[in-house]
Structure formats: C-alpha cells, structure tokens
Amino acid sequence: MATPGPVIPEVPFEPSKPPVIEGLSPTVYRDPETFKEKFLRKTRENPVVPIGCLATVAALTYGLYSFFRGDSRRSQLMMRTRIAAQGFMVTALLLGLAVTAMKSRP
C-alpha cells in the first residue's frame, strides 16, 4: 500500500479577503456609489421627501426671521406650518418605505 503524501491544511478563511459565498454578491452595484449618485437615486425613488425637507427648512427659517423681527403672530404661524411640513415629510417617508417594500415582494 502506498503511503500518503504530506497533508497540507487548507486555510478556510483569509482575513484580508472577503469570504466567497456562492451566488452572493457583496454589493448590489458594481461600482461604489458616490454621495451625489446615491442622493439622486433616492430622490428619484421618493421625490416627496426632499420637497418636505425643503418646506420644513423654509418654514423654520422664515419663522425665526419673523421672531427676530418681532412679528410674533407670523412667527407662531410659521412654527405651526413647520410642524405640518414635518408631519407631511414623515408621512411621505413612511409611504415611500411601504411602496418600496411592496415592490421587493415576489
């Protein structure tokens, strides 16, 4: 009977490289997205959220401007408008998430 040769243990995991899993790609995109590309993609997916953010910031800014000018009535109106814009934005965000979740279902 022949004697077996020396046994060389295989390294099961190389720490410097990601593990190879059959059929699994570590990223969805071939090239990493830049911040601008990701922002534009997310805006196209749910365009109402950035509009809500801008409306919130505009109401807050104008409300603070009115406050510093001493127009308390306008300032209060703008703070209430800001709350409404925030509510609109959160609702749009949740609806966008729900639509995205429904799209990903088979």
Side-chain angles (χ1 to χ4, degrees):
M1 200 165 174
T3 58
V7 177
I8 301 171
E10 257 187 69
V11 178
F13 177 69
E14 178 65 34
S16 64
K17 297 179 182 174
V20 178
I21 301 171
E22 227 175 284
L24 177 70
S25 175
T27 61
V28 177
Y29 306 100
R30 296 181 194 271
D31 298 325
E33 281 183 304
T34 64
F35 176 78
K36 182 180 178 182
E37 292 169 342
K38 185 175 183 179
F39 178 78
L40 291 174
R41 180 176 57 85
K42 294 285 188 177
T43 301
R44 274 187 239 110
E45 288 174 6
N46 197 356
V48 183
V49 172
I51 293 169
C53 287
L54 289 174
T56 302
V57 169
L60 176 64
T61 304
Y62 190 61
L64 288 173
Y65 173 74
S66 296
F67 176 75
F68 285 117
R69 278 192 26 224
D71 188 1
S72 62
R73 188 176 175 99
R74 173 80 53 176
S75 176
Q76 283 295 315
L77 177 66
M78 287 295 105
M79 291 302 119
R80 291 181 184 131
T81 304
R82 176 187 58 90
I83 298 298
Q86 281 179 317
F88 173 76
M89 186 184 67
V90 169
T91 303
L93 182 66
L94 292 175
L95 287 174
L97 286 172
V99 168
T100 303
M102 295 304 255
K103 279 184 184 177
S104 66
R105 283 188 155 173

